[in-house]
Amino acid sequence: MAVIAVIIPMLMLGAVLALGRYEEVLLPPVEDPEPDPVVPAP
């Protein structure tokens, strides 16, 4: 039972990290299509 109590959280952490990595690959970060215009200083 003690072994299960140690292994299950490690497996869950691995699953969460794997899903986070999968999400980064599946949905790349959105880039701003129109950057803010640069206004020259007077």
Side-chain angles (χ1 to χ4, degrees):
M1 288 304 250
V3 173
I4 293 174
V6 171
I7 290 177
I8 288 179
M10 295 172 113
L11 291 175
M12 291 176 70
L13 176 63
V16 168
L17 293 176
L19 286 173
R21 182 67 182 135
Y22 178 73
E23 180 184 11
E24 288 178 2
V25 171
L26 188 66
L27 304 170
V30 178
E31 295 181 10
D32 193 8
E34 283 188 35
D36 294 333
V38 177
V39 179

